[in-house]
Amino acid sequence: MAPASLAQTQLAYMNSVDWLRQIELLRPKQKDPNERPWVSSEVRTVDLTTNQLTVSHPPIPSINMPAMTMTLPVQDTAHLRMLKPGDKVQIQAAEVDGAVKIVNVRMQH
């Protein structure tokens, strides 16, 4: 019997509580937004008309991005006006609706 069909057979004979627990273990885990790594970066340009930052950053493994300087849209633009080229910041980047975006920015101390 193939491993997938063995698992299906085992699930068929479980009570509802055990079945729900097992299904939860098999379900792909969603990444918690709070678990995104903060990456030290340097602001190169700030574009207030398009709500984008150009930042120089090290590799960001969580989104498979190598170290580079790149222009990215900023999801939360509340503090964008306070940034200027040369500022040291920390960013959290994520894939949102099929595009990589900066989802959080904070000044680096």
Side-chain angles (χ1 to χ4, degrees), residues 7-76:
Q8 290 172 340
T9 302
Q10 290 171 339
L11 286 174
Y13 291 102
M14 292 182 177
N15 67 41
S16 60
V17 173
D18 290 339
W19 184 85
L20 285 172
R21 285 185 189 137
Q22 192 64 34
I23 291 299
E24 192 60 34
L25 291 173
L26 295 173
R27 191 174 289 162
K29 300 294 182 211
Q30 297 294 320
K31 288 190 176 182
D32 180 352
N34 297 319
E35 291 180 11
R36 293 183 183 119
W38 286 97
V39 178
S40 295
S41 305
E42 183 177 331
V43 175
R44 298 300 175 122
T45 63
V46 180
D47 187 338
L48 297 174
T49 59
T50 61
N51 295 322
Q52 295 184 349
L53 280 179
T54 300
V55 293
S56 178
H57 62 78
I60 307 173
S62 62
I63 56 172
N64 298 319
M65 185 176 286
M68 66 176 69
T69 298
M70 185 165 192
T71 302
L72 295 167
V74 178
Q75 185 170 311
D76 181 2

